[in-house]
Amino acid sequence: MTGPYMMPAGRYAVDIAALKALKSVYWGQQGWREGAKPDEATAALLRAAGLWTDLAHRELTHDHIVTAAVEVAARTTPADVRSAFVGSLRSRRLDLRSALASLAYVRHMPAHRFSPLAGADGPCRICGTADTFELAEPNLLNFERFNWGGVRRDELEYCVFDLLQFARAPQAAPGDEDYALLAEIIDTLRSLPPRTTANRAAAALTMLPGNKDERTGFLEILAVCGILQTARCPGFGAAFVAWEHRPQPEGKNDLGYPLWCWTAGDGVDSENLAALLPSLAEPRNG
Ligand SMILES: [Zn+2]
């Protein structure tokens, strides 16, 4: 099964020119480019790198995407995803960083049929997906994945797309310096003043190569895995949190669930961190 998304078969290439071209389709000096299409030369470059599809994508049902999520999660090796995440830190391979959250999100999700809230027209109360929906454009999801390590971390269609692409990704094995960097980041998060918000914590991670959005995305991934979580807003590391049980912020908040709840006083969850990297689970002395 190829899954709901038709992308080219085989590995894609992490080709600098192609990645720049992919970004240029969707993002310009003023931010998002609406309705943009690549010119023929750009499309050819993207196709050659395995980063573009011209295939039309269809409407899908909730039950299809849930089945696809359960299947792709079962085929994905957690240890591979963990290594890729660590290997993404110094290399800035955001396409490798994303899968940690996508797998954490779907791994404990029960296989289930569409179940709306009683008497409501809305989405599924378990996963938040509509009964039927138009799939997002895969080339756009691919751009988001390469540029920010994903943004729709709690959307099943992104998780499925991301894990399917992860299987096609050239890997970057993490080295000692990557593990040391992650340890330094965790120490920094543990030493922040208790009232530090997630946005301020992201700004404090100057040791992590990348921009502010990338650092915020990094924290969102840790939060989805339950490494940064609160009693009110648990992550997905140990168990799936049903959509109907996820508190939403009052007022404006750009951060995803559950990071929006977190401040440094909530700490770093040792148990969920141990699932990522046992050696980092306990605070280090000196
Ligand atoms: Zn559902």
Side-chain angles (χ1 to χ4, degrees):
M1 177 183 156
T2 54
Y5 282 107
M6 304 298 180
M7 289 294 279
R11 293 222 181 275
Y12 58 76
V14 184
D15 174 285
I16 302 287
L19 292 177
K20 266 190 158 166
L22 181 63
K23 182 173 180 176
S24 74
V25 175
Y26 294 103
W27 196 260
Q29 298 262 324
Q30 316 297 325
W32 285 106
R33 287 187 165 152
E34 299 295 342
K37 292 270 174 240
D39 58 36
E40 201 36 54
T42 303
L45 177 68
L46 287 169
R47 279 190 212 104
L51 296 172
W52 192 263
T53 177
D54 295 305
L55 290 171
H57 290 76
R58 61 183 193 280
E59 201 176 73
L60 213 68
T61 66
H62 166 280
D63 295 0
H64 266 110
I65 199 77
V66 167
T67 302
V70 170
E71 282 184 13
V72 74
R75 284 203 307 270
T76 308
T77 307
D80 291 349
V81 169
R82 291 195 295 265
S83 301
F85 176 79
V86 181
S88 80
L89 298 178
R90 290 169 62 251
S91 65
R92 258 179 109 181
R93 283 281 304 280
L94 283 297
D95 60 315
L96 293 178
R97 191 171 299 174
S98 180
L100 188 73
S102 296
L103 184 61
Y105 185 79
V106 296
R107 206 172 158 200
H108 301 300
M109 182 186 71
H112 66 280
R113 295 277 177 89
F114 179 65
S115 25
L117 289 169
D121 257 354
C124 174
R125 63 190 174 80
I126 297 172
C127 68
T129 308
D131 194 11
T132 59
F133 58 98
E134 196 75 38
L135 275 174
E137 196 206 324
N139 302 313
L140 167 64
L141 297 184
N142 217 16
F143 159 68
E144 293 175 356
R145 181 169 170 269
F146 276 98
N147 214 50
W148 298 297
V151 285
R152 320 172 187 218
R153 298 180 211 291
D154 58 355
E155 289 183 20
L156 276 186
E157 60 172 327
Y158 177 75
C159 294
V160 170
F161 175 81
D162 185 30
L163 293 175
L164 288 170
Q165 300 316 302
F166 182 75
R168 303 178 56 228
Q171 296 294 320
D176 291 346
E177 291 179 37
D178 294 293
Y179 285 100
L181 174 59
L182 185 53
E184 187 187 350
I185 291 169
I186 297 295
D187 283 349
T188 301
L189 292 173
R190 283 180 162 142
S191 65
L192 293 169
R195 295 169 70 143
T196 308
T197 62
N199 275 317
R200 294 214 168 176
L205 299 184
T206 50
M207 69 293 283
L208 177 62
N211 58 37
K212 171 77 167 50
D213 289 339
E214 290 172 42
R215 290 174 185 141
T216 305
F218 168 84
L219 291 180
E220 281 186 338
I221 291 169
L222 293 187
V224 168
C225 297
I227 293 168
L228 306 179
Q229 65 179 355
T230 67
R232 184 173 167 231
C233 297
F236 300 80
F240 188 72
V241 182
W243 180 78
E244 64 177 331
H245 295 142
R246 296 175 208 160
Q248 295 303 317
E250 287 169 26
K252 192 171 149 46
N253 194 313
D254 289 340
L255 300 171
Y257 178 92
L259 185 65
W260 74 264
C261 275
W262 182 90
T263 56
D266 295 306
V268 175
D269 187 285
S270 294
E271 220 166 290
N272 287 323
L273 180 62
L276 174 64
L277 271 185
S279 61
L280 296 185
E282 294 307 320
R284 294 181 305 167
N285 298 317

